[in-house]
Amino acid sequence: MALLTPEDLEDLLNKLNANNDIIKGATGEDISQICEEAYGTKPGNQKVGIVPITAGNGIIGNFSASLLAITEYFGLEGFITEHPDMTGYYEAVAGGADIILMADDHIFIAHNLSNGKIATNHICTGVIYSEIASRYKHADSKDVLVIGLGRVGYAGASHLVKKGFNVYACDPNTEFMNKAIEELGVNAFDIEKPRKFSMVFEATPNANTISEGMIAERCLVSTPGIPCALPDDLVEKYDIDLVMEPLVIGVAAMLYSIF
Ligand code: 2YJ
Ligand code: MG
């Protein structure tokens, strides 16, 4: 899994606004509306406690501050605990948090203590980015390409299958590929036999996973993956609506999924 860097998190709300404009243009709705519809919830007056975690690679500069900015963007009150880890968790609960946000290198969770719901970043990210792809106004069919079948990609592929889309998927890992074929019934996308898609959901930690043979003129590429899957020149050449943002969209989905 890609680890976020402080640089990825700079200018977060500007990046969000730029992405929100693309999302609105491509689907007719913005990220809050899409989350509301996907999860059937709205923010209430929950208080969010954000606990920095030192395990593994440790605290990422800007991470907790970014979560606080996101919390406030969606109209909720939040606070970052003074101490990290267990002491911070205690502080968050004792300080009246309804929702706890915290992440180590493996998992990033949102836990609603009031209703018991819990969400992970990888599932919510897969669901919301694939949901965005599936809403493309200019889609030429119900065919959608999923690139990468790790934790995020699998969650997105599963979501798209449940929504009734024809999912084509690829991953160089044959175990992941077979699991998605057996459990979800996706079609294996053969890179040797290119075909062009108007909706692409990409979830890999690699650059340049999208090539010219896979994309239709004026398609939507929705990807949480850092670095970007699309070579720069293709974005312009194919007039692509590119949704790619390092943190806010996934966290928005986490919050809406547990309201
Ligand atoms: O509390 C901190 O500052 C750190 N322990 C945060 C760790 C953040 N976790 C990651 O970067 C994971 N790789 C998952 C992030 C998924 C974002 N799409
Ligand atoms: Mg990528």
Side-chain angles (χ1 to χ4, degrees):
M1 179 172 15
L3 215 51
L4 290 164
T5 67
E7 293 72 43
D8 292 331
L9 300 178
E10 272 168 19
D11 233 15
L12 204 65
L13 295 182
N14 284 332
K15 282 179 197 158
L16 173 66
N17 288 330
N19 273 277
N20 230 348
D21 288 344
I22 295 171
I23 294 171
K24 243 182 274 174
T27 72
E29 299 195 292
D30 69 15
I31 189 62
S32 306
Q33 292 171 308
I34 294 175
C35 284
E36 259 185 58
E37 290 182 15
Y39 293 107
T41 57
K42 275 186 206 292
N45 54 2
Q46 297 91 344
K47 194 164 160 184
V48 178
I50 297 155
V51 185
I53 298 293
T54 63
N57 286 296
I59 288 173
I60 297 177
N62 288 342
F63 187 73
S64 293
S66 298
L67 296 184
L68 182 58
I70 296 166
T71 296
E72 290 171 348
Y73 179 91
F74 289 98
L76 301 177
E77 187 191 335
F79 64 100
I80 301 170
T81 60
E82 193 187 322
H83 297 89
D85 304 329
M86 294 310 294
T87 308
Y89 185 88
Y90 175 77
E91 223 182 280
V93 177
D98 303 293
I99 291 173
I100 306 286
L101 285 178
M102 57 186 178
D104 64 14
D105 299 342
H106 184 66
I107 206 160
F108 173 14
I109 62 167
H111 190 185
N112 188 331
L113 303 176
S114 306
N115 63 15
K117 291 189 193 175
I118 191 162
T120 67
N121 180 264
H122 53 277
I123 292 180
C124 293
T125 298
V127 168
I128 200 68
Y129 276 86
S130 65
E131 174 74 26
I132 291 167
S134 76
R135 288 171 173 248
Y136 193 36
K137 281 200 300 211
H138 308 294
D140 58 15
S141 69
K142 290 203 103 181
D143 295 353
V144 47
L145 176 62
V146 175
I147 303 172
L149 289 167
R151 299 195 300 178
V152 176
Y154 184 92
S158 168
H159 182 65
L160 292 166
V161 168
K162 283 191 201 123
K163 286 196 70 172
F165 285 81
N166 306 319
V167 178
Y168 291 78
C170 58
D171 193 300
N173 181 319
T174 49
E175 224 172 281
F176 288 6
M177 199 63 239
N178 290 336
K179 181 169 185 272
I181 293 170
E182 279 160 31
E183 294 177 4
L184 305 176
V186 304
N187 307 288
F189 172 71
D190 183 355
I191 297 187
E192 303 301 316
K193 283 192 232 136
R195 55 175 287 180
K196 289 176 174 278
F197 291 85
S198 62
M199 296 176 283
V200 179
F201 162 56
E202 194 269 0
T204 81
N206 307 316
N208 302 334
T209 56
I210 299 178
S211 57
E212 230 165 322
M214 304 171 178
I215 46 176
E217 192 87 29
R218 198 167 188 202
C219 62
L220 173 62
V221 173
S222 182
T223 176
I226 298 173
C228 184
L230 263 178
D232 278 344
D233 54 315
L234 291 188
V235 179
E236 254 180 57
K237 185 170 171 196
Y238 283 85
D239 190 16
I240 293 173
D241 283 314
L242 173 62
V243 176
M244 187 190 82
E245 184 282 326
L247 191 65
V248 183
I249 292 175
V251 174
M254 291 169 76
L255 291 170
Y256 278 81
S257 78
I258 61 162
F259 286 151

